[in-house]
Amino acid sequence: MLSTVNYATGFLPPLEEISRFLRERAVLLYVDGTQSVGALRFDVRRVRPAMLCVDAYKWMMSPNGAGFVYVDAKLREQLTPTVVGWRSDAGWRKVGSLNHGVPVFAEAAEKFEGGMIPFPSLYAMGAVVDLLLETGPDAIEEKVLELAAKTREMLTGLGAEVNADASQIITARFSDRDAAELAVKLKRTGILVSARHGRLRVSSHFYNNESDIEMLRAALSQ
């Protein structure tokens, strides 16, 4: 089990290489894309994970409760659903003649959906997906990484130890400053960052700009 980007350090693991290594040894790879999908591109055809899950409240800017899971076609044939609801049967859409016997599972990943799904959250996530596709995944990733690089450069200039990963999560450690205390003080000025394991975490998305970085620099300088 791996995250596409580590939430506390910004580490970006070489997932394609790891996935290939594991497939050669018949080991399943479960990927959590919550920390990057929506900001960085993720291609299941290249990484080929057995499973990919994404909680969309983060980089996909969706309400809590929205998210999705991808299950590889071969794995779907082997996995038995652990929760069975009325949507588990392949013919659940035929509401006029629902199956009242043992469920006949669909080949699609929807066979793992038990119970009712949170429609309001999913409608909102659908609108975000439309926005991301309209803006363009390539353009979003390029903008996000450009801002991340400028933020790392700025933090390094202030004397911080900064992660060198090519990810959109920037983490910095100041030798003489407590990260949690810094995050609290910055919040009072309207700048929202996080403190994780002694590091200050800055997460720039495509709606941010260079003036946001300058505001952060000015606040940290004080």
Side-chain angles (χ1 to χ4, degrees), residues 155 158 160 172-189 191-195 198-201 216 219-222:
L155 291 168
L158 293 177
R173 189 192 303 275
F174 293 91
S175 59
D176 57 346
R177 291 288 185 272
D178 179 72
E181 182 181 353
L182 276 177
V184 171
K185 289 184 176 180
L186 288 169
K187 184 176 181 179
R188 292 173 185 160
T189 69
I191 299 174
L192 300 181
V193 294
S194 304
R199 304 182 71 90
L200 192 71
R201 187 183 71 188
L216 176 59
L220 285 172
S221 296
Q222 293 176 8

Side-chain angles (χ1 to χ4, degrees), residues 136-179:
D138 292 347
I140 291 173
E141 181 179 278
E142 181 180 354
K143 181 64 175 180
V144 165
L145 293 181
E146 176 188 341
L147 290 172
K150 290 181 178 180
T151 303
R152 286 190 177 91
E153 182 180 0
M154 178 272 291
L155 291 168
T156 301
L158 293 177
E161 172 207 323
V162 182
N163 70 311
D165 304 278
S167 72
Q168 85 293 7
I169 293 180
I170 308 105
T171 62
R173 189 192 303 275
F174 293 91
S175 59
D176 57 346
R177 291 288 185 272
D178 179 72

Side-chain angles (χ1 to χ4, degrees), residues 30-187:
Y30 181 99
V31 175
D32 184 347
T34 302
Q35 299 295 337
S36 70
V37 172
L40 305 183
R41 293 170 298 177
F42 185 93
D43 190 341
V44 294
R45 293 166 298 185
R46 293 177 63 90
V47 179
R48 295 177 61 185
M51 291 165 282
L52 166 72
C53 73
V54 176
D55 192 340
Y57 82 101
K58 254 184 175 336
W59 296 94
M60 291 189 66
M61 306 176 294
S62 302
N64 279 316
F68 62 90
V69 61
Y70 161 88
V71 184
D72 178 76
K74 290 184 179 179
L75 184 58
R76 292 200 299 264
E77 298 174 358
Q78 305 171 38
L79 281 182
T80 302
T82 57
V83 178
V84 178
W86 73 283
R87 291 167 54 88
S88 301
D89 189 86
W92 72 267
R93 289 178 176 83
K94 300 176 181 178
V95 293
S97 56
L98 292 175
N99 178 12
H100 293 279
V102 176
V104 178
F105 293 120
E107 294 182 3
E110 70 176 359
K111 70 180 180 180
F112 303 112
E113 296 179 5
M116 185 56 71
I117 57 179
F119 286 109
S121 295
L122 293 184
Y123 291 148
M125 183 176 71
V128 173
V129 170
D130 290 339
L131 171 64
L132 296 177
L133 292 176
E134 179 182 350
T135 307
D138 292 347
I140 291 173
E141 181 179 278
E142 181 180 354
K143 181 64 175 180
V144 165
L145 293 181
E146 176 188 341
L147 290 172
K150 290 181 178 180
T151 303
R152 286 190 177 91
E153 182 180 0
M154 178 272 291
L155 291 168
T156 301
L158 293 177
E161 172 207 323
V162 182
N163 70 311
D165 304 278
S167 72
Q168 85 293 7
I169 293 180
I170 308 105
T171 62
R173 189 192 303 275
F174 293 91
S175 59
D176 57 346
R177 291 288 185 272
D178 179 72
E181 182 181 353
L182 276 177
V184 171
K185 289 184 176 180
L186 288 169
K187 184 176 181 179

